[in-house]
Amino acid sequence: MATISRNSNTTKASLNALPLELLVHLIATYLPTKDLGALRLANKYLEKVLFDTFAKEFFTKKQFMLSTASLQTLVSISRHSAFNKTLRHVIIGLESFDATDVASLSGTMSCAQYDAFQKGYADQFAVSSSGRDQALLTEAFRNLQNLDTVGIRDYEASGRVRDDDRWRSYGAPSISREIGLNLRTGSNKFASQAFLLLMQALADADHPVSSIETILRTQSSGLKDNAFFLGSPNPKMDVVLGGLRQLLLTLNPSGGHHDSSPDADLHSTCLESFLLRCTSLEHLRMNFVKQLHYSSSWVLKRLCKTPDPLPAIRRLDLGMLVIMPDVLINAISKFSATLRHVSLWKVELQWDDAAHWKDSDDRYDPWPRGLKDLATTTNLTNLSLGCLSQRDKIGHHCLVNFSDGKIAQDYSGDKRVWMPLLLDQLVVERPEPSSDLSEIDEDQDEE
Ligand SMILES: *[C@@H]1O[C@H](CO)[C@@H](O)[C@H](O)[C@H]1NC(C)=O
Ligand SMILES: *[C@@H]1O[C@H](CO)[C@@H](O)[C@H](O)[C@H]1NC(C)=O
Ligand SMILES: *[C@@H]1O[C@H](CO)[C@@H](O)[C@H](O)[C@H]1NC(C)=O
Ligand SMILES: *[C@@H]1O[C@H](CO)[C@@H](O)[C@H](O)[C@H]1NC(C)=O
């Protein structure tokens, strides 16, 4: 890299005179395909000098889809003498031919587009039915010596072809061009299958990673409980689970009768057996699909019944759930011995008639009360809160925000300092006691 500055006194204007970061930026901005091919366009000198920087910039984190071409590219990268060291983060995108509603669009597609779609559809079906996806992923994981994070992401396909292709799955943009539309993301089932596939490939490759990140944003998508099925004992899988330090999940564990009532029998779940084996896990995130009330309580209650789960947990993020205050506080307190950081995002506390949730004015104020409880039962150093709310007796949804007008806040350091500040800043919006509630509702809608 030092060569660049030594040569920069050259009188001719040349690419070589540019600072390295600028060159990388130019390549990133102006070359249409920011991948392997881009290198061929650079001259030999640049290629040599830029290689490291280029590899770091474009080959540390890559997203692939479940198609033969995309997975084979991953394998090629994993066999490349430089890229097999730089690639640390592999993401599986959930672009699915199955989910793409081609029937309604076939009228507007050309023959070539329709053929390309059918071919891709057949390929995706074959690569998964034959187990070839697992073989390719396993080979790649085995080769990628510095692989540290794997993830699953769904991509919101609805007409958002962005300039920056970098975080679209490898191969997906060219499929979009061929078929004239973006592939949609697969169902819950597809996401759960992809999760099982990733886990199995990591185990088969004998390649533990420190982080698994499942980030699903499509409406109502999330991993089903059977995504965590472990089957018969497998020492290789235990090594993978035992090595995990961070696990970010989007969950949709509903199904069967469990979701029909808050008091349904608590059957054991695949998720809990899975988590019990993650003995080094330090950071767990569980985001839920919010509409499905009871399944999130059910997951947390089960976790509380387990003796000594997650002995190393330091950070717990819970998001998108509707829950009774006691269930939330109990779940968090369960980890109090090691927990230092709690993050609560879009959490709605349900109405609870229990006397201990009322304050001296007989008011139901579960957030201030619950947070105070948490502060006394745990040794938290960090608390992140955002988009909180609570239901009152008549079902009114009361937002909880902060006196500075923000809807989210981070507190850190000594809780004796931030706890009083937090309680002082917390503002619970509640309807004025009035005989005409409907009028207040209207006022709030106008805001
Ligand atoms: C990385 O690639 C080089 C060249 O193909 C190969 O010799 C080496 O074994 C690979 N490393 C791993 C861990 O596969
Ligand atoms: C919090 O830390 C104190 C001092 O280290 C310790 O005595 C106490 O047991 C801890 N509390 C919990 C809930 O772990
Ligand atoms: C709460 O936040 C919302 C949205 O930012 C804002 O419109 C409202 O005025 C806030 N309420 C209070 C009581 O601060
Ligand atoms: C947690 O709190 C510490 C201070 O105690 C701070 O240095 C750190 O940045 C915080 N971590 C996060 C993730 O906010």
Side-chain angles (χ1 to χ4, degrees):
M1 289 185 201
T3 353
I4 286 278
S5 42
R6 245 180 277 129
N7 288 349
S8 63
N9 55 1
T10 168
T11 46
K12 263 197 300 177
S14 90
L15 276 182
N16 302 3
L18 294 174
L20 204 52
E21 309 81 69
L22 188 55
L23 277 172
V24 170
H25 178 74
L26 286 175
I27 290 178
T29 314
Y30 295 110
L31 296 186
T33 306
K34 294 161 228 162
D35 287 327
L36 285 161
L39 271 183
R40 288 185 215 118
L41 297 176
N43 68 35
K44 276 275 176 267
Y45 170 77
L46 281 177
E47 177 168 336
K48 209 164 124 223
V49 172
L50 286 179
F51 193 83
D52 268 4
T53 315
F54 185 85
K56 283 205 188 85
E57 177 79 15
F58 297 108
F59 285 91
T60 52
K61 180 172 175 182
K62 280 256 142 211
Q63 184 168 325
F64 302 88
M65 62 179 281
L66 296 173
S67 72
T68 306
S70 195
L71 293 176
Q72 253 162 6
T73 303
L74 170 61
V75 169
S76 307
I77 291 171
S78 81
R79 286 182 186 149
H80 187 282
S81 58
F83 297 146
N84 67 8
K85 292 192 198 65
T86 53
L87 192 57
R88 294 168 177 276
H89 188 158
V90 169
I91 300 167
I92 297 301
L94 296 180
E95 291 89 350
S96 160
F97 285 87
D98 224 356
T100 305
D101 189 11
V102 77
S104 69
L105 290 153
S106 55
T108 64
M109 277 176 138
S110 72
C111 255
Q113 287 172 331
Y114 189 74
D115 285 350
F117 183 89
Q118 291 303 335
K119 201 168 139 242
Y121 188 101
D123 171 75
Q124 194 169 49
F125 180 73
V127 81
S128 106
S129 311
S130 61
R132 181 109 179 100
D133 48 3
Q134 192 177 321
L136 290 168
L137 274 177
T138 302
E139 178 178 354
F141 289 169
R142 196 173 279 140
N143 294 341
L144 294 170
Q145 44 201 311
N146 292 323
L147 181 71
D148 188 48
T149 302
V150 297
I152 297 179
R153 247 192 231 178
D154 54 5
Y155 172 71
E156 187 60 60
S158 51
R160 251 204 296 146
V161 186
R162 296 189 300 163
D163 292 340
D164 180 9
D165 284 348
R166 264 201 292 165
W167 308 127
R168 292 188 69 192
S169 300
Y170 194 94
S174 63
I175 290 174
S176 296
R177 280 192 297 275
E178 274 172 29
I179 67 175
L181 62 137
N182 284 330
L183 290 176
R184 287 186 192 285
T185 5
S187 58
N188 293 327
K189 189 175 161 203
F190 195 60
S192 298
Q193 284 169 336
F195 186 83
L196 284 164
L197 176 68
L198 270 188
M199 293 307 301
Q200 197 58 52
L202 289 171
D204 290 349
D206 294 308
H207 198 323
V209 290
S210 68
S211 180
I212 296 180
E213 307 182 351
T214 309
I215 302 172
L216 306 175
R217 300 213 167 114
T218 308
Q219 188 78 35
S220 89
S221 83
L223 298 175
K224 295 290 195 187
D225 190 54
N226 58 14
F228 301 95
F229 181 68
L230 291 171
S232 45
N234 176 353
K236 289 178 164 211
M237 187 63 85
D238 284 339
V239 173
V240 172
L241 294 176
L244 262 187
R245 305 239 302 277
Q246 171 169 278
L247 180 61
L248 310 185
L249 299 173
T250 309
L251 298 170
N252 182 1
S254 64
H257 63 281
H258 302 300
D259 220 42
S260 58
S261 132
D263 302 316
D265 282 347
L266 296 172
H267 292 286
S268 72
T269 62
C270 297
L271 174 64
E272 107 199 36
S273 325
F274 185 99
L275 290 176
L276 274 180
R277 283 152 86 176
C278 297
T279 47
S280 310
L281 198 65
E282 293 169 7
H283 179 191
L284 174 64
R285 175 179 301 163
M286 295 193 284
N287 283 339
F288 292 88
V289 176
K290 199 174 174 187
Q291 308 88 293
L292 304 167
H293 284 33
Y294 304 126
S295 54
S296 50
S297 306
W298 165 56
V299 166
L300 293 181
K301 280 184 183 166
R302 279 299 312 184
L303 219 50
C304 287
K305 288 199 167 194
T306 321
D308 200 23
L310 306 177
I313 192 86
R314 293 187 63 80
R315 172 169 178 181
L316 180 65
D317 305 344
L318 297 172
M320 316 279 284
L321 62 160
V322 179
I323 195 159
M324 296 295 276
D326 281 319
V327 177
L328 180 70
I329 302 304
N330 288 345
I332 296 174
S333 305
K334 177 81 182 177
F335 306 106
S336 59
T338 53
L339 201 62
R340 295 296 173 265
H341 188 163
V342 167
S343 165
L344 301 170
W345 177 253
K346 291 197 178 168
V347 178
E348 175 188 325
L349 293 180
Q350 289 169 288
W351 166 253
D352 188 339
D353 220 5
H356 67 270
W357 283 107
K358 306 278 171 37
D359 68 11
S360 47
D361 299 334
D362 201 33
R363 239 180 7 185
Y364 180 60
D365 235 349
W367 273 117
R369 167 66 60 91
L371 294 172
K372 219 189 284 179
D373 281 2
L374 271 186
T376 47
T377 57
T378 58
N379 281 330
L380 294 186
T381 57
N382 300 64
L383 182 64
S384 313
L385 304 171
C387 293
L388 305 178
S389 63
Q390 59 192 47
R391 289 271 168 196
D392 68 13
K393 190 170 188 172
I394 57 165
H396 200 100
H397 189 227
C398 311
L399 296 176
V400 176
N401 37 13
F402 300 89
S403 53
D404 58 5
K406 293 193 179 145
I407 52 166
Q409 207 83 259
D410 290 309
Y411 297 94
S412 68
D414 187 342
K415 75 180 178 200
R416 284 168 306 182
V417 176
W418 57 252
M419 199 61 211
L421 180 69
L422 186 171
L423 293 176
D424 194 45
Q425 287 186 324
L426 219 52
V427 182
V428 182
E429 269 186 355
R430 61 182 96 241
E432 299 295 326
S434 155
S435 50
D436 194 352
L437 287 165
S438 60
E439 197 178 292
I440 287 161
D441 269 346
E442 271 165 26
D443 284 347
Q444 289 193 336
D445 285 346
E446 279 164 20
E447 279 178 19

